[in-house]
Amino acid sequence: MATLKERIDADLKDAMRSKNELTLSVLRMLKSAVKYKEVEPGASALDDAGILTVIAGLIKQRRDSVEQFKSGGRPELAEKEEAEIGVLQNYLPKQLTADELAAEVRASIAETGAKGPKDMGAVMKHLNARIHGKAEGRAISEAVKSELSKLS
């Protein structure tokens, strides 16, 4: 099976051939972000998990931009950012449903022995290792906070 980096390169070539401007610009931006991470001092070539982290960061940036553009009365820019999010999400693993996420949160709480909200850090660390890239950080955080508040 091809690595995520190889898949991105192949899709970039396809986007060039088909003249798909949106996909082309998003994949170029993604490759640039990955390269930037790799040339940081002390960094090395990114594996698939590292690339997933970069993709998640880019999606988060785009989501923040969408909110700002909508509140600033620029719906056309918000739509462009949402389209870019759609392209980036193609490279993430299948996202967990709310029920699946809640089940993972409960399992992590049980495995870490968390007793309440003060144990959120331990649960988050354990959970992020298990479901890396399968849910957004904000959704994970809210689910953990919700479940832990039921314990106290």
Side-chain angles (χ1 to χ4, degrees):
M1 197 163 110
T3 66
L4 196 50
K5 203 178 252 187
E6 292 167 345
R7 186 176 148 212
I8 292 166
D9 286 340
D11 290 353
L12 182 69
K13 289 174 188 165
D14 290 344
M16 281 181 201
R17 283 188 206 108
S18 64
K19 297 185 177 18
N20 182 336
E21 293 299 323
L22 173 68
T23 304
L24 187 60
S25 70
V26 171
L27 292 180
R28 281 182 173 154
M29 173 205 42
L30 173 55
K31 281 184 62 88
S32 171
V34 168
K35 195 72 169 157
Y36 187 78
K37 275 283 188 208
E38 290 176 338
V39 299
E40 284 179 353
S44 60
L46 293 179
D47 59 354
D48 282 359
I51 293 173
L52 287 176
T53 303
V54 170
I55 293 171
L58 291 172
I59 289 174
K60 184 179 183 320
Q61 288 173 355
R62 305 263 147 339
R63 286 232 160 83
D64 292 343
S65 296
V66 166
E67 289 175 25
Q68 291 174 359
F69 287 141
K70 284 183 177 175
S71 67
R74 299 294 305 267
E76 71 285 355
L77 293 175
E79 286 174 20
K80 180 182 179 290
E81 296 287 322
E82 286 170 342
E84 289 179 0
I85 290 170
V87 173
L88 289 167
Q89 284 177 329
N90 292 332
Y91 297 94
L92 293 177
K94 181 182 174 294
Q95 299 294 289
L96 297 174
T97 65
D99 292 340
E100 291 168 335
L101 178 58
E104 289 287 351
V105 168
R106 286 191 291 276
S108 285
I109 288 172
E111 289 173 25
T112 58
K115 303 282 186 252
K118 67 181 184 348
D119 298 319
M120 184 163 175
V123 175
M124 288 293 291
K125 183 176 180 182
H126 182 267
L127 190 58
N128 279 326
R130 283 176 56 148
I131 63 171
H132 185 76
K134 294 182 183 174
E136 282 189 25
R138 185 183 300 167
I140 296 170
S141 175
E142 288 171 3
V144 169
K145 206 176 290 181
S146 168
E147 288 295 324
L148 288 175
S149 67
K150 294 175 187 174
L151 298 177
S152 56

